[in-house]
Amino acid sequence: MRDFTYDRAAATSDAVASASDEGASFIAGGTNLLDLMKLEVMAPEKLVDINRLDLHDIEETDTGGLRVGALVSNSDLAADRRVRRDYAVLSRALLSGASGQLRNKATTGGNLLQRTRCYYFYDTAMPCNKRQPGSGCAAIGGQTRLHAILGASEHCIATHPSDMAVAMRALDAEVEVEGTDGARRTIQMAEFHRLPGDTPAVETVLKAGELITAVILPPPPGGRHVYRKVRDRASYAFALVSVAAVARMDGDSIGDVRLAFGGVAHKPWRDDRAEALMKGKAPSDALFDEAADLILADARGQGGNDFKIPLLRRTLKAALSEATQMGEPQ
Amino acid sequence: MTLHLKLDNPDEENRLDHMAQGVIGTGANRPDGALKVSGQATYAAEWQRPDMAYGVLVRATVPAGKVEKIDASAVEAMPGIVKVITDPKLLRVPAQGMADAAPAQGNDEVLYFGQPIALVVGDSFEAARHGANHLSVSYLPQEARLDPDAVQTERPEGKQSSQGDLDGVMKTAPVTLDEVWTTPGHNSSAMEPHASMAEWDGDRLTLHGSYQMLKYNRNELADSLGIDPKNVRILSPYVGGGFGSKLGISPEAVAAALAARDLGRPVRVVMPRQQVFETITHRAQCRQRIRLAADETGKLLGIGHDNRVYNLPDEGFAEPVTQATPFTYAAENRAIGQEVATINRVIAGSVRAPGEAIGVPIFENAMDEMAEKLGMDPLEFRLKNIPETPPGQDIPFSSNMLAEALRDGAEKFGWDKRNPTPGAVQEGEWLIGMGMASAVRVNMLMESKARITLTAEGATVETDMTDIGTGTYAILTQIAGELLGLPMEKVTTKLGDTDLPPGSGSGGSFGAASSGTSVYLAAMELRRQIADKLDCDEADLTLKDGQAIAANKTHALADLVGETPFEAEGHIEPGDIASKAFQATFGSHFAEVAVNRHTGETRVRRMLGTFACGRVLNEKTARSQCLGGMTFGIGMALTEEMLFDTRDGHVVNNDFAEYHLPVNLDVPKLEVHFLQERDPYANPMQAKGIGELGICGAAAAVTNAIHNATGVRIRDYPATLDKILPYLP
Ligand SMILES: Cc1cc2nc3c(=O)[nH]c(=O)nc-3n(C[C@H](O)[C@H](O)[C@H](O)COP(=O)(O)OP(=O)(O)OC[C@H]3O[C@@H](n4cnc5c(N)ncnc54)[C@H](O)[C@@H]3O)c2cc1C
Ligand code: SF4
């Protein structure tokens, strides 16, 4: 670990001011950052501790949604009565992630910004465009079980590991941030994370030193909420594929449906075309297959993760059957 | 006085069954348990000295080649760095179990990615780690052999055997099977990583380490350093799991000792988890081919078991994959063989029941498949083929309760409720199946010594034997307590110190039997001394609750002992017994699984094991051993796999986030049963090994259950969902 200076911020304005220094990084729960610092995958010169900031609350918004402070722990967010009732997909996604101990420390802001679990990203002896731009991508041609099937580039095939972010993407959440100038802006979840392109080191649209202050959930979408996470062991493993599905029925047909996917791309994946296709139609195996066809049209495996293509289809269909109460798909 | 026994003949006295204290066999708590859960048991990485320095090993980042130059200057100029040690005595690999001499040393030649080539020593751990991350090393890379499937293999002569004509019977038998399976690399995954703190006093080295077999480790360490073993003391009283990974001295110990000598101050070296994966012995990936031939009645006519493992150049170890095959089932025509590839990959060695851990489950998969071909119940098929005596040998089994274990397990599990048609049972989106397998593991006895000192206060047991989490403290205390008539609180057991009489060490499930027998012998010698004092026969002496009863008179043991403590040493040696009867332990595994019909995820719903391993010395620790074995069986079946990069051979998933051990939610209710058994050929306690039996076969119960649930035969372990997905509806 490289030596670093430590600054504890008392107000968001202090935090952003302090973080405007070159090489500064915020630290929240530290569950991701500290691991990466020990390995020197990340080597900030300065840590700005934001844990004392007043961002620990979940408040109702004027429009009937919720404003989740950036420091609300994953455990507290999952257990919140309103979240469990109105945003069950989020609560379930959170509870499917990490372990009880980690969720107690992990924060809402930190979870959004957790780095990929690509094995090669973690090993500083390996070339990695995300860790060291321009060095190459060791994952391509290597072990790719964790890697992307959608939206990857020749420069990086990593996935975003968060479960929480997948549910937030399905819920059309917004990320509220405060800039170094003290001004706040909001960013749609759809825009927040980036695809790797030729700059995989740039993972979000956050500007240097910007602080996440909250995640804003729009008014409850209603409907049935399903979060289905498929993984290599029953608990404490990252998603191979996950599906967040929220569906509201309108009589016998699908009134509204939202779908987001984890474990398959550099960001929580969503495909508006598939949702539009299903709206107003009666749920059926064939319809779900058609939706899967659309979503997977450009899917590409890397060898070790080829199975994710059929797995995504099957998981999607199972989640949709449950969310639309169609009964067991065939 | 030493009571020495060379075990040439079976025990005829079964003395433990005639004692009065009533502590042997009970599920007594571990004397060390409270210390451990309250943090008072000091593990190797916790040793601290005021002037101690911290070392971090630097790994090679090429799979093969020469180290051209290690440029220490930049690192040595960093704040907090004391020195970069590049001594050619640094270990290239850890020693194999019972090597008793230094393993390969030297840092000029690189044989695998991850090989330690330098030690960076700092005033703090953080400084040393930072230095280690930045040490500049240049290599002259050489071509590496990375793919065990692509390189030439050897067939060591001693590893091939055959009887009759297997090829012939494979052509003529009405029912045959010929299939190939693979198992991946496994890491021992002891919770406590490898750690050593070395300090010198003149010529004398004291090492606080985490090791399984101290009498060998002392010689290995001394030989590595080029010093007299008399000048080496290793302390290893608490070990946070070994599973084979701490059998031999490993690079951190030698590095710590070298640095401490060089710097004249104590040095501690702890391996980060990633290094444990990259440097410490792993179980080699294995390919197994099984051939079976049977007549229509299900009688086996032929058995073939061939396998391919690998290791680094010059490493003698090749996992004895077929160890149980010669004696588990009968068949007249047999062929057993092994091929070994030489590749540039982290050293292969003993991991969790080397041999049977992967050999038995694959064989049991084949048995399941063969039963299906024969249209027989898998249980019946096994029962039909249990041999009367070990095939091809003219000696009996010392005891063989495989049939009883199979029947007992089947009954307790409810095997008769199994629907034999694959895929027939469904609950919601889950496909339900049941599977079973035999459990088999050879039984061993090793030379071992222990001392007991009896004073007015109680008894002290001393040996350099280790407790690697298995319960050695408990059982040795119980053995002494039972024979000397003392409650457990009156017996203190001291372990893990090479200054004490050399025990067997922990490995191969022989620790309890071997070390236990040395304690037994020491206690018997003390009983004789007490009997002498009371002028009676040892056999007529009753010792209970600190009282000695002889000829209807009761004496307080404390009075008898008086001022001069009684002291005795016990010394067991294996002797000639192995030529009189063949020893093994047996059991059965049953599992019920649910496989998700959408995603292919498998969850074990319940699992049951019945085991016969001679006398059970402590019901609770014995059960815990089996629970651990079965849990690792679930890991082998479903989740554990070392991923190697095909381009440089490095271990890709080198931490516990991505090397998937089963977690709590993967492990359902596990039921463990023991059959009443005494084995007079094993040792005078008539107890046998338990530790490893629980894993041997366990994975097959799970994968056979997957077949029953889905019709899918898992050929490549582990049974991750991608292997099942293509066959789901
Ligand atoms: C073994 C293991 C298993 C896990 N399994 C899962 C899993 O299954 N699913 C899952 O979703 N997650 C999983 N996680 C990841 C876990 O959810 C994240 O580590 C956690 O959410 C990060 O939150 P934190 O507060 O600890 O972030 P930190 O480690 O403190 O920070 C992470 C990053 O976010 C930045 N940051 C933090 N807060 C802010 C803010 N308010 N504004 C701007 N920048 C900020 C930091 O600078 C840093 O770069 C796992 C983690 C581990 C270690
Ligand atoms: S996939 Fe991305 S994170 Fe992984 S090695 Fe390639 S560039 Fe690095």
Side-chain angles (χ1 to χ4, degrees):
Chain A
M1 191 183 283
R2 188 158 88 179
D3 284 353
F4 56 86
T5 56
Y6 172 85
D7 188 10
R8 182 189 286 154
T12 55
S13 53
D14 298 345
V16 288
S18 183
S20 65
D21 287 354
E22 179 78 20
S25 178
F26 297 119
I27 181 162
T31 60
N32 190 217
L33 182 59
L34 289 178
D35 279 358
L36 292 166
M37 285 172 69
K38 289 177 195 170
L39 298 167
E40 297 193 27
V41 172
M42 289 176 79
E45 285 159 38
K46 177 183 187 180
L47 284 187
V48 180
D49 182 348
I50 57 173
N51 285 290
R52 302 280 170 102
L53 300 185
D54 186 16
L55 302 171
H56 292 271
D57 297 321
I58 305 174
E59 296 156 347
E60 281 153 40
T61 62
D62 298 341
T63 57
L66 286 180
R67 184 176 180 283
V68 181
L71 293 169
V72 173
S73 76
N74 289 179
S75 296
D76 286 346
L77 184 56
D80 185 89
R81 189 178 42 79
R82 295 158 296 186
V83 174
R84 287 173 53 195
R85 187 188 59 212
D86 299 332
Y87 306 94
V89 67
L90 176 58
S91 184
R92 287 174 193 148
L94 282 160
L95 291 176
S96 76
S99 66
Q101 294 93 323
L102 283 161
R103 293 194 297 268
N104 287 342
K105 273 313 269 183
T107 64
T108 306
N111 192 317
L112 281 178
L113 293 180
Q114 62 175 297
R115 312 293 304 273
T116 182
R117 307 305 288 203
C118 170
Y119 322 102
Y120 299 93
F121 174 71
Y122 270 76
D123 190 336
T124 50
M126 297 293 137
C128 169
N129 288 325
K130 187 183 281 300
R131 178 168 27 76
Q132 210 183 335
S135 61
C137 171
I140 296 174
Q143 294 285 355
T144 54
R145 189 167 182 83
L146 294 174
H147 292 79
I149 51 169
L150 289 165
S153 74
E154 60 183 310
H155 304 283
C156 178
I157 57 170
T159 51
H160 193 270
S162 172
D163 291 296
M164 179 193 84
V166 176
M168 286 178 172
R169 178 72 184 92
L171 291 167
D172 283 324
E174 288 174 340
V175 184
E176 180 192 270
V177 305
E178 183 170 321
T180 39
D181 55 1
R184 293 203 177 180
R185 61 175 180 131
T186 56
I187 306 164
Q188 296 291 325
M189 264 303 281
E191 314 299 326
F192 187 77
H193 293 101
R194 294 177 71 260
L195 286 178
D198 55 8
T199 53
V202 187
E203 291 166 354
T204 66
V205 298
L206 280 183
K207 297 187 194 123
E210 260 182 335
L211 174 76
I212 298 175
T213 48
V215 169
I216 295 161
L217 301 177
R224 283 177 76 84
H225 291 220
V226 173
Y227 189 75
R228 184 124 188 178
K229 177 174 176 178
V230 184
R231 48 190 141 174
D232 273 333
R233 59 184 167 192
S235 165
Y236 203 39
F238 292 94
L240 293 168
V241 158
S242 72
V243 177
V246 178
R248 195 170 39 72
M249 296 302 287
D250 201 352
D252 285 342
S253 57
I254 299 171
D256 184 35
V257 62
R258 300 136 173 264
L259 291 169
F261 305 93
V264 292
H266 202 251
K267 59 187 285 187
W269 193 259
R270 195 163 168 184
D271 194 323
D272 298 338
R273 296 169 306 169
E275 294 172 21
L277 168 88
M278 287 187 282
K279 267 178 216 162
K281 300 211 180 100
S284 74
D285 213 43
L287 181 68
F288 299 163
D289 264 324
E290 247 183 281
D293 288 342
L294 267 180
I295 294 161
L296 291 167
D298 295 325
R300 218 187 109 220
Q302 300 287 338
N305 66 351
D306 290 352
F307 69 91
K308 285 187 179 182
I309 298 173
L311 181 62
L312 179 65
R313 175 183 299 271
R314 301 178 73 99
T315 313
L316 167 68
K317 289 172 71 177
L320 276 173
S321 313
E322 195 181 335
T324 61
Q325 289 185 279
M326 188 187 83
E328 280 284 291
Q330 290 317 301
Chain B
M1 275 297 290
T2 298
L3 181 55
H4 173 237
L5 174 68
K6 201 157 189 234
L7 198 67
D8 292 323
N9 293 299
D11 171 69
E12 276 164 14
E13 300 187 326
N14 191 17
R15 292 292 284 143
L16 271 176
D17 276 337
H18 299 93
M19 292 294 137
Q21 189 61 30
V23 47
I24 201 74
T26 65
N29 284 339
R30 299 161 186 257
D32 48 322
L35 291 177
K36 285 179 176 170
V37 295
S38 60
Q40 293 174 80
T42 307
Y43 286 84
E46 296 172 317
W47 283 95
Q48 194 86 39
R49 292 285 180 262
D51 57 340
M52 187 178 83
Y54 301 77
V56 173
L57 288 163
V58 180
R59 62 174 179 167
T61 54
V62 295
K66 297 259 180 243
V67 173
E68 186 183 37
K69 188 167 192 285
I70 299 179
D71 181 1
S73 55
V75 167
E76 284 182 338
M78 288 177 171
I81 297 296
V82 179
K83 189 166 181 178
V84 178
I85 307 277
T86 54
D87 194 312
K89 288 195 167 67
L90 287 171
L91 295 192
R92 191 154 83 191
V93 289
Q96 297 285 356
M98 300 192 264
D100 217 26
Q105 291 174 279
N107 55 355
D108 54 342
E109 197 185 348
V110 176
L111 288 182
Y112 65 100
F113 192 116
Q115 179 183 321
I117 48 172
L119 182 80
V120 176
V121 186
D123 285 321
S124 71
F125 169 66
E126 288 74 15
R129 183 169 53 184
H130 182 50
N133 281 338
H134 293 275
L135 186 68
S136 147
V137 183
S138 56
Y139 305 92
L140 296 168
Q142 287 164 357
E143 200 179 329
R145 286 174 290 191
L146 298 168
D147 182 358
D149 290 326
V151 300
Q152 277 255 271
T153 58
E154 274 179 63
R155 281 196 170 270
E157 215 172 293
K159 303 283 174 68
Q160 329 297 324
S161 68
S162 69
Q163 287 161 43
D165 176 14
L166 180 65
D167 290 338
V169 79
M170 286 298 292
K171 289 198 194 93
T172 54
V175 184
T176 60
L177 170 145
D178 184 353
E179 296 288 349
V180 174
W181 284 259
T182 64
T183 52
H186 293 144
N187 181 272
S188 291
S189 302
M191 186 121 61
E192 179 202 25
H194 294 59
S196 287
M197 195 276 277
E199 51 187 340
W200 292 81
D201 180 5
D203 286 345
R204 274 192 64 86
L205 168 67
T206 303
L207 187 100
H208 293 270
S210 181
Y211 285 100
Q212 297 179 225
M213 311 193 96
L214 298 195
K215 68 181 174 196
Y216 304 103
N217 303 137
R218 172 159 81 164
N219 293 341
E220 290 153 4
L221 180 55
D223 192 27
S224 303
L225 299 169
I227 62 174
D228 189 334
K230 281 209 254 349
N231 285 332
V232 174
R233 182 181 183 195
I234 301 182
L235 291 150
S236 196
Y238 304 111
V239 180
F243 311 111
S245 72
K246 295 167 182 170
L247 290 173
I249 207 79
S250 59
E252 95 294 341
V254 173
L258 288 169
R261 185 166 64 183
D262 186 333
L263 301 171
R265 61 195 272 203
V267 173
R268 185 171 84 194
V269 180
V270 182
M271 284 196 180
R273 181 62 61 188
Q274 290 85 352
Q275 216 157 54
V276 174
F277 273 92
E278 293 185 326
T279 310
I280 298 297
T281 44
H282 78 292
R283 187 201 305 288
Q285 250 171 295
C286 181
R287 191 181 64 215
Q288 299 181 51
R289 177 185 179 201
I290 304 225
R291 286 181 288 169
L292 296 176
D295 68 15
E296 288 93 348
T297 69
K299 182 171 174 261
L300 278 172
L301 304 172
I303 290 176
H305 194 172
D306 201 74
N307 71 93
R308 201 278 332 280
V309 292
Y310 56 75
N311 215 334
L312 281 167
D314 304 326
E315 282 300 324
F317 180 90
E319 180 156 5
V321 178
T322 57
Q323 194 155 253
T325 312
F327 64 89
T328 309
Y329 301 110
E332 265 167 37
N333 305 287
R334 310 172 150 263
I336 284 178
Q338 182 170 53
E339 282 176 272
V340 186
T342 300
I343 62 168
N344 297 97
R345 189 182 275 186
V346 55
I347 184 172
S350 294
V351 173
R352 309 181 203 150
E356 286 91 323
I358 52 171
V360 172
I362 298 303
F363 201 90
E364 292 296 312
N365 283 152
M367 290 294 284
D368 195 71
E369 198 163 339
M370 192 67 175
E372 194 191 21
K373 286 188 174 210
L374 286 157
M376 270 178 95
D377 184 282
L379 177 71
E380 288 310 315
F381 179 47
R382 286 170 174 85
L383 288 170
K384 194 175 171 78
N385 287 290
I386 297 172
E388 284 294 321
T389 59
Q393 302 189 43
D394 47 13
I395 50 172
F397 283 109
S398 63
S399 64
N400 181 344
M401 294 186 78
L402 177 56
E404 290 86 340
L406 287 167
R407 289 202 184 92
D408 182 83
E411 191 194 317
K412 294 197 165 98
F413 184 77
W415 181 250
D416 55 348
K417 308 233 165 37
R418 170 180 180 261
N419 185 325
T421 309
V425 184
Q426 191 167 340
E427 287 177 20
E429 59 185 67
W430 296 94
L431 304 166
I432 313 299
M434 292 186 192
M436 54 89 49
S438 298
V440 195
R441 175 73 174 159
V442 293
N443 188 57
M444 292 173 268
L445 182 71
M446 294 287 162
E447 182 173 10
S448 199
K449 288 183 184 171
R451 177 170 60 226
I452 308 182
T453 313
L454 186 64
T455 68
E457 274 69 54
T460 304
V461 176
E462 293 173 303
T463 160
D464 83 348
M465 178 62 188
T466 49
D467 185 329
I468 59 173
T470 43
T472 315
Y473 281 105
I475 58 148
L476 297 188
T477 304
Q478 282 171 286
I479 294 164
E482 187 65 46
L483 290 161
L484 298 174
L486 294 170
M488 282 184 76
E489 316 80 75
K490 292 276 182 200
V491 182
T492 307
T493 298
K494 292 187 180 155
L495 301 179
D497 178 349
T498 50
D499 279 359
L500 303 177
S504 60
S506 300
S509 298
F510 52 64
S514 308
S515 166
T517 300
S518 63
V519 171
Y520 170 97
L521 293 172
M524 288 302 286
E525 169 59 19
L526 287 175
R527 288 178 61 87
R528 194 194 52 78
Q529 291 178 24
I530 296 163
D532 279 358
K533 199 141 189 181
L534 293 172
D535 216 9
C536 71
D537 261 6
E538 183 277 322
D540 300 330
L541 179 70
T542 301
L543 297 177
K544 187 170 193 296
D545 292 333
Q547 313 274 347
I549 305 157
N552 282 332
K553 284 216 197 80
T554 302
H555 313 261
L557 209 49
D559 295 343
L560 283 177
V561 175
E563 296 293 302
T564 30
F566 288 18
E567 195 183 286
E569 203 169 91
H571 180 194
I572 178 72
E573 282 188 273
D576 196 28
I577 195 86
S579 69
K580 300 192 171 145
F582 184 83
Q583 294 178 35
T585 52
F586 297 92
S588 63
H589 290 285
F590 292 82
E592 180 180 312
V593 304
V595 180
N596 190 281
R597 62 181 287 257
H598 301 309
T599 63
E601 290 164 290
T602 300
R603 304 284 179 252
V604 181
R605 302 222 292 192
R606 61 193 180 100
M607 209 166 163
L608 178 147
T610 289
F611 305 103
C613 6
R615 177 195 302 281
V616 170
L617 296 164
N618 179 313
E619 204 181 60
K620 191 190 284 181
T621 57
R623 180 171 174 274
S624 295
Q625 289 289 288
C626 296
L627 293 177
M630 290 160 77
T631 300
F632 276 142
I634 293 174
M636 180 184 159
L638 299 181
T639 59
E640 285 186 63
E641 173 172 23
M642 286 175 85
L643 299 172
F644 297 96
D645 194 286
T646 54
R647 298 159 301 184
D648 58 16
H650 86 274
V651 183
V652 173
N653 55 342
N654 58 10
D655 62 28
F656 284 162
E658 295 307 331
Y659 181 83
H660 291 142
L661 292 159
V663 295
N664 281 326
L665 207 55
D666 292 297
V667 185
K669 188 173 166 227
L670 304 180
E671 235 181 272
V672 174
H673 300 280
F674 291 106
L675 296 180
Q676 273 289 337
E677 186 185 46
R678 298 284 183 265
D679 190 334
Y681 288 86
N683 50 63
M685 302 186 303
Q686 308 206 359
K688 297 204 275 195
I690 295 185
E692 297 167 314
L693 183 61
I695 192 176
C696 301
V702 176
T703 44
N704 290 340
I706 290 176
H707 176 262
N708 183 235
T710 63
V712 179
R713 290 278 175 207
I714 297 299
R715 302 258 182 243
D716 299 306
Y717 279 70
T720 46
L721 59 92
D722 45 305
K723 319 240 173 89
I724 298 174
L725 220 45
Y727 307 98
L728 291 177

